[in-house]
Amino acid sequence: MTKDGKYYVDLDGQQRKDWNSIMELSGTILEIAKIIWAPIGKCVKYHRSLDEKMIILHNKLEAVNSRKEDIESRMNVELCLGKQLKKEVQLWLENVQKMNGEAETINQEVGEGKFLLRAHLGKLVTKKIQEVEELHQKGSFNDSLVVDGPDGNRVMLPTTIIVGDTTRRNMEEIWACLMDDDVRKVSVHGIGGVGKTTIMKHIYNRLLIETGKFDNAIWVTVPKATSVIQLQSKIAHAFELGLSENESETIRAAKLLAMLRMRKRYVLILDDLWEEFELEEVGIPEPTRDNECKIVLTTRLSDVCVRMGCKKIKVQLLSENETWNLFLEKVGRDLVAPEIETVAKDIAKECGRLPLAIVTIARSMKGVVDHCEWRNALEELRVSTSGLSGMGKVYEQLKFSYIQLQDERLRHCLLYCALYPEDFLIGRKELIEHLIAGGVIEGMKNKRAEFDKGHAMLNKLENSCLLESVVDQNNDMKWVKMHDLIRDMALQITSTSPQFLVEAGVFLRNFPNIEKWAENLEKVSLMHNYISEVPSNLSPKCHRLSTLLLSSNHTLTLIPNSFFVHMHVLQVLDLSDTGLEILPDSVSGLENLTALLLRGCYRLKYVPSLAKMKVLMKLDFSHSGIKEVPQGMEMLVSLKYLNLYARNLEIIPSGILPKLTSLQFLMIYGASKTLKVKGEEVASLRKLETFAGQLYDQNDFNAYVRCLQEQGPNNYFIRVGEVSNEAIEEEMESFQKEVHFTKCNIGRGEDTMLLLPGDIQSLQIIKCHGIISLSSISSLNNASELKTCVLSGCNGIECILQQSSYILLENLESLALTRLRNLCDLFRGERAAPLPPGTFSALKKLSIYCCPIMKKLFEVSLLLHFKNLEALTVCECYQMKEIIATGHEYALGESSNLSANNDFTISLPQLRYLSLEDLPRLESIYRGTMVCYSLEVIQVFGCPKLKRIPLSLPHIGGQPSPPPKLQRISTNIWEALEWDHPNAKNVLQPLVRSVQIWG
């Protein structure tokens, strides 16, 4: 025993060696036991803790799904037109969806209660808990969930070229503030016309390109006379958000604020601000470092900058050298001869280094080469600006450009534009119509010449920078717009002579009192306001008033009879889009009226006699509520424009139209079955250029055609037979020469013969069961301009063209055949009789819908007649078996070298679109091969028996490739389709859009 009380055994050498071996073996056994037990222990742990882990997984997953719901709520606010979800957000949502599916699978397996699987499931659940925790952390999207889409609303604003270092320095100073995190609000101020808006347009466009710091830039133009509600609406519209018009400012502000707080990293540009406002009263969040937003405003008023708490940046005037360079840029460097350069420089100096004045005056001198004219211009410019400074001088500078207009009518045109609200897009057509009615445009031979003159005048004003051009390329719409400074100048001119009263678009609710109705007023514009009535005792003595514009006062319901009593020289009265029910009798006494405009007065029921209006040229009742034409209509011998597109109008009394001998534009259309006119009466209007209306039947139409002398209207849209509720275009430029026949007795007999005008361009025949083919309309042989033809619901039609009386239709571009229940063939004739050369040679679009007994479209032998076909659509033809048939019913014809062999290759070189839908018996498009290298879209649905698309594929390097222009193959039978080349399916697969049709 040792000192510490322990025993030991004295072993000899061999015993000691044996003992050590035993101990080593025991250690090895223990280690093996540990290794074996570790996984068993884990399994036991997983087995025992499975239920507890499932509860944890459920709770974790519930938290993730709650976050998912929150994110989806944010998405509903942030996603709008032009926006798309960030890819990381989309991926996270997909992962959550996937995790929910995996958890549901685990839950089902646990629920099955299999004892041997519990350990495995416990391990799996532990892993899923960790994955759910990581997923939850990744879902912390603190910034915006969306980004601008590939196109989005990132539309560049039109700008002019920046000239001079001064403007560039101004731009760079503004840009530096936007990049500075310490600056949240910036104000750009300066005199009107100095270029604030132009500079900010360049900044805006740059923000759209350089997206590193901001996600979006929003542009809002603020009118001078604005309200909180209007500003809220403009901002909401710019952000593409919806606000109710029926709620208070406070509620709207709260909703707008909540929606904008969801947005981050934007720059809000408020252009042309005239009054300060509290951001939160409107609903704009204060820009902070957290939301990374900024606000930039432009204004002429320095006080607005201070009160809005902005960093002020003043836009400086150009230097003298920059002024001269800009002047030369606009007047034309080559046009300033050395001998007049000194005078030209002096004129440039007189512009006060103001960009708008420089550009305007330079344009007014463009093309002037006489040295005397330059000196005279300089003298007049100096006289007009004598003793003036600041804005007054700017107005005088702009007034000089107005004076420089050589044509007095151009001046009247410019001043007329000032009658519209500030920043208003003025439709060119409407403006020209007003100028015609007001006598600014006169003496032209016809309406088209008047419009040509009007467009030429507006172009001159645009070229002089007195009007701005606005064009919508998508809709081919054109407007003009006045710069607010130009409008201010025009209103300053009209404050004396001629004198205008203009309170347009200023949210006016009360009619101007009698003090404002001066005796020398010539024009009054109160359009686009909220006036509800004219005071009953108001009777202005405006003996020189020629124009009165009260349009777009939708709440205006009452005008007293006394109001018009003293307006003896009134020429233009515009009450369009008002709520008037009764037009006062005093209107009857307006003998000098040239235009009475009541468009959109849908409540209007009574209009007094018009018999005294012998000089009235334009009468517009379109979309009004009248049920009958006013008395005295037959006395309107000067009337050129009559629009009776009125839904409730019931009848046009016989005998009125022939007396309106000056008519150039006539539209008569409504919902009533009795609203028809006699063709002979319309044909008697020898000056008629545009006509849209309903005739009684084909005999009435034939009488109309017979009565036409050398030439009828340039544009017409005529419906014959049953009245249709389908709306029609009202723009005369939109009319083709178009005729629709509905439920008319058209056939070969003398009583059913149809005469068509030789210049007809579009023909529709609907539910006319007597017609058996187009060949039965012999007058089609003279319709050389026919481009569009629609046949619909005509049960007697068995074929389109018959050999016995073929018609060429060589200029026809579109043919649509719809619901022809007995149509068998496009062409019918003897085998040895080919179609005449040129038949359908211009056809680009062929559409066949709901022709239930048609079995084939046409024979391959007729293919040469469809060489220009671009679009082919066949739909719901339930007996159709072949599109291009290879049978021998038709002879090939002498001019054709085609063969009917199944392996023959044919070509449709212009075909771009092929659509086959709901053809349950279709077996073949063509049994040979088709070369269609212009093809862009193939669409095949509901064709269960179709197994092959006979498309020839071009070969590159010995391998097939898609046709060069093919963009898409849409079908629900892709897997069943076969192709001639074994690799064709793989080559075309990327273009396939497989769609499953349910039903």
Side-chain angles (χ1 to χ4, degrees), residues 233-299:
S233 297
K234 278 184 165 286
I235 292 172
H237 177 75
F239 277 96
E240 298 178 342
L241 302 171
L243 278 182
S244 172
E245 297 291 337
N246 300 320
E247 294 176 330
S248 67
E249 292 178 5
T250 304
I251 298 299
R252 284 161 57 91
K255 290 185 175 181
L256 184 59
L257 190 65
M259 289 187 284
L260 292 186
R261 278 177 173 164
M262 302 296 292
R263 307 293 183 93
K264 295 182 184 296
R265 288 167 51 90
Y266 62 77
V267 177
L268 173 60
I269 300 172
L270 301 174
D271 183 48
D272 202 17
L273 193 65
W274 284 81
E275 294 180 4
E276 72 277 9
F277 62 89
E278 293 294 332
L279 294 180
E280 293 203 1
E281 287 182 4
V282 174
I284 304 173
E286 189 73 29
T288 64
R289 282 179 174 270
D290 291 336
N291 59 31
E292 299 179 79
C293 298
K294 298 206 176 190
I295 294 177
V296 184
L297 58 91
T298 71
T299 180

Side-chain angles (χ1 to χ4, degrees), residues 83 86 142-144 146-148 154 181 184 207 210-218 239 260-268 287-294:
K83 297 290 184 181
K86 287 182 178 179
N142 296 322
D143 55 354
S144 177
V146 298
V147 293
D148 286 325
R154 295 178 174 272
D181 290 337
R184 308 315 306 177
L207 286 168
E210 301 181 24
T211 58
K213 190 172 183 64
F214 301 102
D215 292 335
N216 208 352
I218 306 297
F239 277 96
L260 292 186
R261 278 177 173 164
M262 302 296 292
R263 307 293 183 93
K264 295 182 184 296
R265 288 167 51 90
Y266 62 77
V267 177
L268 173 60
T288 64
R289 282 179 174 270
D290 291 336
N291 59 31
E292 299 179 79
C293 298
K294 298 206 176 190

Side-chain angles (χ1 to χ4, degrees), residues 111-128:
E112 291 174 0
K114 295 181 180 180
F115 183 84
L116 295 178
L117 286 178
R118 285 182 62 85
H120 166 71
L121 291 173
K123 181 178 180 181
L124 183 59
V125 170
T126 302
K127 180 182 178 183
K128 289 301 173 187

Side-chain angles (χ1 to χ4, degrees), residues 916 922-925 938-941 943-951 969-982 984-986 988-989 992 994:
L916 307 173
L922 183 67
E923 298 176 357
S924 168
I925 298 175
I938 300 173
Q939 192 163 287
V940 181
F941 294 105
C943 304
K945 293 188 176 182
L946 184 66
K947 302 301 180 184
R948 174 177 173 268
I949 294 182
L951 196 63
I969 301 174
S970 296
T971 181
N972 62 339
I973 59 169
W974 173 251
E975 296 301 330
L977 289 176
E978 299 174 355
W979 301 84
D980 294 343
H981 195 284
K985 206 158 195 174
N986 293 333
L988 297 174
Q989 179 69 52
V992 175
S994 294

Side-chain angles (χ1 to χ4, degrees), residues 540-636:
K541 293 180 173 60
C542 300
H543 302 293
R544 299 176 60 184
L545 187 64
S546 64
T547 300
L548 177 57
L549 309 179
L550 295 173
S551 57
S552 295
N553 281 280
H554 299 282
T555 53
L556 180 60
T557 57
L558 178 64
I559 299 178
N561 191 56
S562 60
F563 183 68
F564 295 108
V565 170
H566 302 293
M567 299 181 184
H568 303 299
V569 300
L570 191 63
Q571 293 179 314
V572 179
L573 176 58
D574 190 352
L575 299 170
S576 300
D577 297 309
T578 59
L580 291 171
E581 294 185 17
I582 298 174
L583 207 60
D585 288 331
S586 56
V587 169
S588 294
L590 301 177
E591 297 181 11
N592 290 299
L593 208 61
T594 57
L596 178 57
L597 310 177
L598 298 163
R599 178 185 180 88
C601 296
Y602 62 95
R603 295 181 178 177
L604 188 64
K605 297 178 180 177
Y606 172 75
V607 178
S609 173
L610 307 179
K612 295 181 179 180
M613 298 182 184
K614 301 295 179 60
V615 296
L616 190 68
M617 293 189 295
K618 181 173 183 178
L619 182 57
D620 190 349
F621 283 112
S622 59
H623 303 285
S624 69
I626 62 168
K627 292 185 177 181
E628 58 184 13
V629 297
Q631 293 183 2
M633 280 276 293
E634 67 277 4
M635 305 299 292
L636 305 181

